[in-house]
Amino acid sequence: MTEQLDHRLSDVQLAAALVRNAGGLALRMRQRGLQELRDTAAQKSSVSDVVTSADLAAESYVVEQLRRCRPEDSILGEEGAGYTGTSGRIWVIDPVDGTYNFYSGSTYWCSALALTDAAGVWPAGPDSLTDAAVLLGAIYQPQEEKLWLGGTLQAATLNGKPIVVDPCQHVGQLSAGTYIHPKWLGDPQAGGPWQRAAQLPAALRMLGSGSCDLGRVAQGELGMWFQHSAPSWDWLPGKGIVHAAGGDTAVVRVNGLDWFVAGPAVAVAELKAALAAGAL
């Protein structure tokens, strides 16, 4: 039985409990039967973009708790959950980020959410939330016992200890987390800008969970991060934590695609320029 949460919890306490419990629920389901999760998984946009019963169960849990504890807030979930409240605030939830990793038996996946001030932009759609103010981001990686928190309501922390982005400013001094689907590499629309940007960092990492990556940018383990077409649930939790950790973020449109960038301010500007140089 997954814990029922107290509505008197603060937003920070509630967010931390939600991602811990959702991540723990997904992990227990995987431990009971990874092959069953694989056998029943449904493919979405590609063979590496899948949804499992654990994603759905974890999202259902988070939605149930939010409807009880924050009935006036709106909800947007990766797996289809949606509710429009009256407060102007919206919880953007990703019950399992890095599902292909989760489904493959890797530890590099997490449960993530963001609480945003979305007054005036919701329910226009998830893309309208890109620039929303992130009151709080929460990311929990269960198998490594890592909980990142941060936003305008909360200083950036990892397991309760303060964190800051890498003090190096220039992209050539930094490692970069990134992701691009193989089919995009040969397409100049995305492959051109990505290759321009990918030549600049000291090293590249492609690990398969945007929120896990962004948590590590906030703590300085990764120098920066970039990816095109990141949905709100992959972007907003980490965006809030990176800002709280002293970093910068940006969205730049190139060849009709939005590129999302996070890291130290100078490096973000340098990477934006490199991406723009890949315009057709």
Side-chain angles (χ1 to χ4, degrees):
M1 177 70 114
T2 307
E3 181 185 6
Q4 297 293 298
L5 301 178
D6 190 329
H7 68 90
R8 293 169 295 183
L9 293 172
S10 70
D11 287 332
V12 175
Q13 292 169 328
L14 178 61
L18 285 170
V19 293
R20 280 189 178 278
N21 290 349
L25 171 60
L27 179 58
R28 289 193 300 275
M29 291 181 69
R30 193 176 81 171
Q31 289 170 334
R32 287 199 297 267
L34 178 56
Q35 190 58 50
E36 181 181 350
L37 286 177
R38 290 173 174 167
D39 290 342
T40 58
Q43 183 175 314
K44 295 195 285 188
S45 64
S46 71
V47 70
S48 60
D49 182 17
V50 294
V51 59
T52 72
S53 57
D55 296 73
L56 299 173
E59 181 163 292
S60 293
Y61 167 76
V62 174
V63 170
E64 176 192 353
Q65 299 307 308
L66 286 173
R67 291 298 309 275
R68 283 196 319 102
C69 296
R70 297 294 188 272
E72 296 182 353
D73 292 350
S74 300
I75 300 170
L76 174 67
E78 179 184 9
E79 307 308 339
Y83 172 73
T84 301
T86 59
S87 68
R89 306 190 329 162
I90 175 169
W91 296 82
V92 181
I93 57 179
D94 192 348
V96 177
D97 179 54
T99 299
Y100 191 61
N101 288 351
F102 172 80
Y103 162 95
S104 302
S106 168
T107 66
Y108 203 81
W109 61 276
C110 65
S111 181
L113 61 76
L115 172 60
T116 69
D117 180 357
V121 299
W122 177 255
D127 292 344
S128 66
L129 296 174
T130 295
D131 296 323
V134 182
L135 305 177
L136 179 64
I139 300 167
Y140 178 58
Q141 191 174 349
Q143 291 177 273
E144 297 195 16
E145 191 54 42
K146 294 180 183 290
L147 173 65
W148 294 272
L149 295 169
T152 60
L153 296 179
Q154 165 72 30
T157 60
L158 169 58
N159 294 341
K161 297 180 180 179
I163 53 174
V164 295
V165 297
D166 195 308
C168 296
Q169 283 290 315
H170 292 285
V171 64
Q173 300 172 300
L174 299 168
S175 63
T178 186
Y179 178 76
I180 186 168
H181 193 277
K183 73 178 182 180
W184 282 104
L185 277 173
D187 186 332
Q189 181 186 10
W194 186 85
Q195 288 174 35
R196 291 269 190 165
Q199 295 176 51
L200 299 185
L204 290 177
R205 307 280 186 261
M206 197 177 298
L207 301 170
S209 167
S211 287
C212 287
D213 291 347
L214 286 164
R216 284 168 169 80
V217 171
Q219 73 177 86
E221 183 178 321
L222 275 175
M224 61 184 316
W225 181 87
F226 66 102
Q227 179 182 321
H228 77 78
S229 306
S232 297
W233 40 80
D234 286 345
W235 172 240
L236 294 174
K239 173 188 172 182
I241 300 169
V242 168
H243 274 283
D248 193 16
T249 65
V251 182
V252 57
R253 194 164 185 82
V254 185
N255 300 335
L257 297 173
D258 287 331
W259 290 85
F260 297 76
V261 186
V266 172
V268 167
E270 292 172 341
L271 210 60
K272 281 176 60 181
L275 290 164
L280 297 175

